[in-house]
Amino acid sequence: MSNRSHGLSFVLPLTSFGNVLMLLFSVFLASSIILLNISVSLSILINRALRTENRFMYMLSTCLSDICTGVSYYYVGVLDVRDTFDSPTRTFFVVPTFLGLSYMAILAAQADRYHAVSSPFKYSQRMTLSRTVMIIASYWVYAFAIVALHNLVTVGVATQITGISTLAANIVTVIIMIGLNIKLFMIARYQLGREPPSAERESKRASIYLILVVAASFLGTWLPIFCHITACNFLASVCYSFKNEGTDPLRILPRVNAALTPVLYIYGCSPLRATLLKSVWRPCWRRKTR
């Protein structure tokens, strides 16, 4: 059946060159998100040494949620979709949840690095791999429990819950993330400066700087929509909304971040990059050239 029979059409009518480019951009962005995050996920799963480190578990969680974001963007980004509570084309709060899971993973990873740097001895005793996996599983379960709650109550109640919780979460988490960024940088700079040059020191430095860059990238792409939502809530007014998800720059930016994050992981982590090139991309390239 065609899109038209479902009441759906492309994100913009294909009546101009610019509209066609917009459609192609959405398809390219969705494909890039999926391919890049699958590549990083496979690299972590293949390499046993990476799988035994807590930071790579948070990377894997981020990649899995972003893969879902990429797949869902073929729907909300390519087609004429408004993902609101009263929209007939809504995703019942599932698609925004994937973005939220990526946010929680980066925030948890930053807290993990802060704990590791500020209290390395206690961290090594407390934060085992199994506990890290339990933390990751808990916020995945929590996120979809909230989705279930939103879909069980009426649209009016769900809208009120989302408005209040989103406003509070945005303000609190942004402040926490910015504060952690600053404090983590200061602690890392002080402690690493006291250690003699070694491979372990460089590994710690790379790990900390990577999560700082990832968090800064995340804030840069998410702050515009956070500020927009916060301003709308404080003004208690209906803010301007775009025709659909695929033409709203405030909602495109977080999806751009879903493609940018794995690139930062690859660039900033040499063991991950080596595994990716040797065990994931090279075998795929050889198969294509045969």
Side-chain angles (χ1 to χ4, degrees):
M1 297 179 71
S2 66
N3 289 337
R4 193 174 297 276
S5 65
H6 287 285
L8 286 173
S9 57
F10 287 121
V11 62
L12 289 170
L14 304 182
T15 54
S16 68
F17 182 66
N19 289 0
V20 173
L21 283 180
M22 189 68 198
L23 175 66
L24 292 176
F25 169 77
S26 297
V27 173
F28 173 77
L29 179 58
S31 302
S32 299
I33 293 170
I34 295 169
L35 292 174
L36 287 168
N37 282 285
I38 284 179
S39 297
V40 173
S41 299
L42 288 175
S43 300
I44 295 171
L45 293 172
I46 288 171
N47 191 323
R48 182 179 177 83
L50 299 184
R51 294 200 312 270
T52 57
E53 290 191 41
N54 294 342
R55 60 185 177 128
F56 288 105
M57 289 296 98
Y58 288 112
M59 283 188 193
L60 183 60
S61 175
T62 306
C63 289
L64 292 178
S65 60
D66 285 343
I67 290 169
C68 297
T69 294
V71 172
S72 62
Y73 201 63
Y74 281 121
Y75 176 65
V76 298
V78 174
L79 301 177
D80 183 16
V81 172
R82 289 197 66 192
D83 202 6
T84 56
F85 285 108
D86 57 350
S87 171
T89 56
R90 67 189 183 278
T91 64
F92 297 94
F93 209 64
V94 172
V95 170
T97 299
F98 292 133
L99 289 169
L101 281 165
S102 180
Y103 186 16
M104 285 189 278
I106 291 173
L107 185 60
Q110 202 169 16
D112 179 81
R113 289 299 87 197
Y114 175 76
H115 186 193
V117 171
S118 61
S119 305
F121 181 70
K122 290 182 179 178
Y123 177 84
S124 62
Q125 289 184 317
R126 294 174 182 172
M127 292 310 301
T128 60
L129 185 64
S130 59
R131 285 187 178 179
T132 299
V133 172
M134 285 177 63
I135 290 172
I136 293 170
S138 65
Y139 63 69
W140 275 79
V141 171
Y142 167 78
F144 282 101
I146 296 296
V147 172
L149 175 64
H150 278 80
N151 289 309
L152 288 173
V153 299
T154 62
V155 172
V157 174
T159 304
Q160 290 179 349
I161 293 173
T162 301
I164 297 169
S165 61
T166 301
L167 175 63
N170 287 348
I171 295 173
V172 172
T173 53
V174 166
I175 291 173
I176 290 173
M177 188 172 282
I178 292 174
L180 277 177
N181 261 323
I182 296 171
K183 198 160 186 180
L184 185 57
F185 176 78
M186 293 174 65
I187 292 174
R189 188 176 180 182
Y190 173 73
Q191 289 192 355
L192 293 176
R194 296 173 60 190
E195 292 184 15
S198 64
E200 185 180 359
R201 176 193 170 188
E202 292 307 311
S203 176
K204 287 181 182 178
R205 184 193 298 273
S207 171
I208 293 166
Y209 285 173
L210 176 59
I211 192 60
L212 287 172
V213 172
V214 169
S217 168
F218 192 93
L219 286 171
T221 53
W222 277 79
L223 273 177
I225 193 169
F226 283 168
C227 293
H228 175 78
I229 293 171
T230 303
C232 292
N233 277 276
F234 274 122
L235 294 173
S237 62
V238 178
C239 294
Y240 176 78
S241 60
F242 286 79
K243 181 177 181 289
N244 48 43
E245 295 277 313
T247 56
D248 188 346
L250 296 178
R251 285 171 171 76
I252 292 173
L253 275 175
R255 270 86 183 199
V256 172
N257 182 74
L260 183 60
T261 299
V263 173
L264 294 174
Y265 286 155
I266 295 167
Y267 179 78
C269 183
S270 53
L272 176 66
R273 185 170 61 252
T275 303
L276 177 69
L277 294 174
K278 181 181 178 181
S279 304
V280 179
W281 283 355
R282 188 175 295 172
C284 291
W285 176 256
R286 285 176 178 172
R287 288 176 187 175
K288 286 184 180 180
T289 55
R290 284 177 183 176

